[in-house]
């Protein structure tokens, strides 16, 4: 019996998506609820599972297609059997049978094996481009699936390792073709298109301004070092810097409510709660899941929420509900080595806190020049709603709370 696999409900106000990857091939056997198609929406990637066990008879879509909720993605032959792989025919020994195969040849041969049938088109293309054997790479995707990032990492590791002298003496076709210039056109994902539109809209609509300060991280680093083992033992989560900044931001937003507000038409909407959007890097772009009621949560719960978001962002399992609303955003460019930046607000929010890398710098303390671990912090804000005095004061409160964490305990 033939069963249709349709585009599932994608979330509130989301009516269409793009086909990101076909996770199976025609003729593959699938189990109940096994994902067969990856869909990209404006905010997240979701997977369409098979409603029955059977064999994929036909795909009705291709990678890059735009589909609406309820559209047919594939036909499953319920109770069917997977197509058997053709038996290998005996081959006579080739004249160069004793010569080791090149990396591209090995990659093509590996792609032709049964073990590669679960590879997505993007991963197959990366395997061929980088000339790696997918069977030798451990997948980090959902259910151990191989991702494009896995292939690229394996290729980089292969390049950095010393190659045999014989292989090094034989130039590759790419190396032989001197002066070759290449370019590749790749269609923007739906998420990247949405990010581009929203960020440009923020620039066109809001009166953006950024104020800076620097923070002495000595006290936070000291308290983290002192309690990190006890914290991890009790809460089963590492104590990071983000929870400190989240709680410090809560102090500032309570004292300066305009920084936690937003403009709606000709009205200002103030919030008596703090829902912090945390910028997280995902394979398809930057996403901002929300730590709700951060002002009433403990350090441990904030760390658990952020760790969970980071894990699910890499797996592509964040939902629309995870990223709805939010009253303020924290973006940590320091994890990538950024020294200073002017972060852009996440509409309709009115402010975003940018964190940067920590580095030892000379500063003056009690009339003496000393070395301290310093971080630049930046607050970008919508000047239509937030005055400079309010922005500078909010950033100063965050600075003081980080330099003296006791303030966060006594709400000062």
């Amino acid at each position: 019996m033939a069963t249709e696999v349709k585009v599932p409900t994608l979330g509130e106000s989301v009516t269409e998506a793009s086909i990101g990857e076909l996770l199976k091939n025609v003729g593959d056997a699938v189990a109940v609820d096994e994902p067969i198609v990856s869909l990209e929406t404006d905010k997240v990637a979701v997977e369409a599972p098979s409603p029955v066990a059977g064999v994929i008879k036909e795909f009705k879509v291709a990678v890059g297609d735009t589909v609406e909720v309820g559209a047919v993605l594939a036909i499953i032959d319920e109770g069917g059997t997977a197509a058997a792989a053709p038996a290998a025919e005996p081959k006579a020994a080739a004249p160069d049978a004793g010569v080791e195969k090149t990396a591209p040849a090995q990659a093509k041969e590996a792609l032709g094996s049964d073990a590669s049938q679960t590879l997505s088109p993007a991963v197959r293309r990366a395997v061929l481009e980088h000339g790696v054997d997918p069977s030798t790479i451990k997948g980090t995707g959902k259910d151990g699936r191989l991702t494009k990032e896995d292939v690229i990492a394996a290729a980089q590791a292969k390049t950095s390792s010393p190659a045999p002298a014989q292989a090094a003496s034989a130039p590759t076709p790419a190396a032989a073709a001197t002066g070759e210039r290449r370019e590749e056109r790749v269609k923007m994902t739906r998420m990247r298109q949405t990010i581009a539109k929203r960020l440009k809209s923020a620039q066109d609509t809001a009166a953006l301004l950024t104020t800076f300060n620097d923070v002495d991280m000595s006290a936070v680093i000291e308290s983290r070092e002192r309690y990190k083992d006890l914290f991890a033992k009790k809460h089963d989560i590492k104590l990071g810097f983000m929870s400190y900044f989240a709680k410090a931001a809560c102090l500032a937003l309570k004292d300066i409510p305009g920084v936690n507000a937003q403009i709606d038409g000709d009205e200002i909407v103030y919030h008596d709660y703090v829902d912090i959007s945390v910028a997280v890097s995902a394979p398809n772009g930057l996403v901002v899941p929300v730590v709700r009621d951060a002002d009433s949560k403990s350090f441990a719960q904030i760390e658990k929420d952020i760790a969970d978001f980071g894990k699910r962002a890499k797996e592509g399992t964040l939902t629309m509900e995870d990223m709805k609303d939010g009253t303020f955003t924290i973006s940590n460019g320091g994890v990538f080595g950024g020294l200073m930046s002017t972060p852009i607000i996440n509409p309709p929010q009115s402010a975003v806190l940018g964190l940067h890398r920590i580095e030892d710098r000379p500063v003056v303390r009690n009339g003496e020049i000393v070395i301290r671990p310093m971080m630049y912090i930046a607050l970008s804000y919508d000047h239509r709603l937030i005055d400079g005095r309010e922005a500078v004061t909010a950033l100063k409160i965050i600075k003081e709370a980080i330099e003296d964490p006791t303030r966060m305990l006594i709400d000062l």
Side-chain angles (χ1 to χ4, degrees):
M1 184 177 69
T3 301
E4 294 180 339
V5 181
K6 297 183 178 181
V7 178
T9 301
L10 300 171
E12 183 181 352
S13 76
V14 180
T15 59
E16 63 180 23
S18 296
I19 305 299
E21 294 184 17
L22 302 181
L23 305 177
K24 293 286 186 177
N25 295 316
V26 173
D28 284 355
V30 293
V32 177
D33 293 331
E34 184 176 2
I36 63 171
V37 176
S38 176
L39 303 168
E40 294 179 353
T41 69
D42 293 347
K43 293 185 177 181
V44 294
V46 297
E47 293 178 334
S50 172
V52 297
V55 173
I56 297 179
K57 182 179 179 181
E58 177 186 5
F59 277 108
K60 295 289 188 180
V61 294
V63 174
D65 288 354
T66 297
V67 291
E68 296 183 350
V69 173
V72 178
L73 298 171
I75 304 295
I76 303 294
D77 183 8
E78 188 174 354
T81 57
E89 298 180 3
K91 295 188 236 180
D96 59 347
V99 180
E100 185 178 354
K101 292 183 178 68
T102 63
Q106 289 176 333
K108 289 182 179 179
E109 182 177 298
L111 285 178
S113 67
D114 293 339
S116 67
Q117 294 305 309
T118 57
L119 298 183
S120 68
V123 174
R124 285 172 172 267
R125 185 165 57 249
V127 166
L128 289 173
E129 287 177 355
H130 296 282
V132 296
D133 184 353
S135 64
T136 63
I137 306 172
K138 183 178 180 181
T140 61
K142 187 175 182 181
D143 298 326
R145 285 202 298 266
L146 207 61
T147 67
K148 183 178 179 181
E149 289 72 24
D150 295 333
V151 175
I152 294 174
Q156 291 174 343
K158 183 179 178 181
T159 302
S160 61
S161 61
Q166 182 180 354
S169 63
T172 63
T178 58
E180 180 182 1
R181 301 175 63 187
R182 300 172 57 193
E183 63 180 32
E184 180 183 7
R185 290 182 180 269
V186 179
K187 185 177 180 181
M188 293 174 69
T189 63
R190 180 174 291 273
M191 183 185 294
R192 177 51 61 184
Q193 292 178 45
T194 302
I195 290 172
K197 291 176 183 177
R198 285 175 60 83
L199 294 183
K200 185 57 182 172
S201 174
Q203 285 186 321
D204 293 340
T205 303
L208 293 177
L209 191 62
T210 303
T211 184
F212 298 92
N213 214 320
D214 61 356
V215 176
D216 187 340
M217 296 291 292
S218 299
V220 166
I221 291 174
E222 181 182 350
S223 69
R224 182 169 176 262
E225 285 297 316
R226 181 182 301 174
Y227 299 114
K228 66 178 181 180
D229 292 336
L230 291 173
F231 187 90
K233 183 177 180 180
K234 180 175 180 179
H235 301 292
D236 195 28
I237 189 72
K238 291 182 179 180
L239 177 60
F241 293 125
M242 281 296 288
S243 55
Y244 285 94
F245 279 101
K247 298 301 285 187
C250 290
L251 285 181
L253 300 180
K254 290 293 185 180
D255 283 358
I256 314 294
V259 182
N260 195 43
Q262 64 187 53
I263 294 177
D264 185 10
D266 59 355
E267 297 179 331
I268 300 175
V269 181
Y270 292 96
H271 307 97
D272 66 352
Y273 53 88
V274 179
D275 287 350
I276 296 182
S277 302
V278 181
V280 176
S281 181
N284 293 330
L286 194 71
V287 293
V288 279
V290 181
V291 177
R292 305 192 188 282
D293 298 314
D295 52 322
S296 61
K297 286 185 175 178
S298 65
F299 277 65
Q301 189 56 55
I302 291 174
E303 290 291 353
K304 288 178 180 178
D305 287 353
I306 293 173
D308 178 60
F309 288 146
K311 179 176 179 290
R312 290 196 285 139
K314 292 179 180 178
E315 294 174 348
T317 57
L318 287 173
T319 66
M320 301 290 289
E321 192 65 27
D322 292 326
M323 289 177 282
K324 278 183 60 178
D325 305 323
T327 63
F328 183 77
T329 294
I330 299 179
S331 178
N332 186 7
V335 296
F336 304 109
L339 176 65
M340 187 180 291
S341 67
T342 55
I344 191 166
I345 64 173
N346 178 26
Q349 298 174 19
S350 298
V352 53
L353 175 67
L355 310 181
H356 303 92
R357 78 170 184 252
I358 302 170
E359 64 177 7
D360 289 339
R361 290 201 297 269
V363 294
V364 177
R365 295 287 185 268
N366 300 320
E368 295 183 354
I369 298 177
V370 293
I371 303 298
R372 290 286 188 271
M374 304 296 294
M375 175 197 287
Y376 288 116
I377 57 175
L379 184 75
S380 291
Y381 58 98
D382 188 347
H383 213 339
R384 296 177 304 164
L385 171 60
I386 303 168
D387 293 333
R389 178 185 63 84
E390 294 175 313
V392 170
T393 301
L395 198 61
K396 183 171 177 285
I397 292 172
I398 294 173
K399 169 187 170 69
E400 291 173 344
I402 294 297
E403 293 184 339
D404 183 7
T406 305
R407 288 173 172 266
M408 290 183 263
L409 299 177
I410 60 178
D411 192 17
L412 184 59

